[in-house]
Amino acid sequence: MGPDHASDWFWAVLESTRPRLSALESWLESQPREVLEAFALAYESAAESLADFSEGVSVDGEVWSEDSTEDLCLWVVGQGRGLWSSVVAGDLPLAEAARMYLGRAPLGPDVVTPWDGEVSDPGHRGYQSPGAIVHGVYRTRFAEDLHERLDGVRGD
């Protein structure tokens, strides 16, 4: 999948709210259900375009678990279109992004200010990343689990 895989609006939302997670939280709180679902699907799709989580990523001779690989890919997406595009295009190996994620390599020019992790609604604690906050907002607003809802949308 190419660098334009995720919609422009998705990347614009991430860039316009960074580095304040509470700004992303507020934006999500103002959107209709369908936009929250589309945001979550775009985030998930962008992460999945980086690697097959089940295969893991090999970093310095160690193959990461499926969950760790997924966490890494979600982190890459959260860094914005620049880093994501570099990885998805193959210009930056995922293993090198993993070293950045672990603090073992300097953050490249495509990594911008880290998200601050502050949320306004105490009910959103535990969802303190740009990929997870949409799940907390969805649960608060619609009293439903977004993962289950998306499974129905995708037909899983």
Side-chain angles (χ1 to χ4, degrees):
M1 295 181 195
D4 294 322
H5 178 66
S7 300
D8 288 339
W9 71 266
F10 167 77
W11 296 113
V13 168
L14 285 181
E15 296 308 317
S16 68
T17 56
R18 175 190 301 285
R20 294 181 47 243
L21 192 59
S22 62
L24 178 57
E25 174 189 33
S26 178
W27 183 86
L28 291 165
E29 289 171 334
S30 72
Q31 301 303 310
R33 176 189 298 258
E34 296 76 20
V35 172
L36 271 67
E37 292 169 1
F39 180 89
L41 285 170
Y43 208 109
E44 182 181 287
S45 180
E48 289 171 351
S49 71
L50 297 172
D52 178 343
F53 305 152
S54 67
E55 292 182 10
V57 60
S58 180
V59 181
D60 301 327
E62 178 186 341
V63 178
W64 286 19
S65 70
E66 182 172 350
D67 287 344
S68 294
T69 301
E70 181 177 7
D71 289 347
L72 168 64
C73 292
L74 292 169
W75 177 82
V76 169
V77 173
Q79 299 310 301
R81 181 181 245 165
L83 183 67
W84 176 81
S85 293
S86 294
V87 174
V88 83
D91 297 333
L92 179 70
L94 187 58
E96 187 60 24
R99 289 183 195 93
M100 291 178 198
Y101 173 70
L102 294 171
R104 294 184 193 162
L107 298 177
D110 293 324
V111 177
V112 294
T113 306
W115 291 89
D116 65 14
E118 295 295 321
V119 292
S120 299
D121 185 329
H124 298 155
R125 289 198 180 101
Y127 297 98
Q128 292 165 273
S129 72
I133 191 67
V134 66
H135 294 272
V137 170
Y138 197 88
R139 181 178 296 281
T140 300
R141 289 190 55 209
F142 306 112
E144 289 183 58
D145 182 274
L146 182 54
H147 288 292
E148 290 176 12
R149 173 79 175 166
L150 295 180
D151 287 347
V153 169
R154 288 188 301 257
D156 292 351

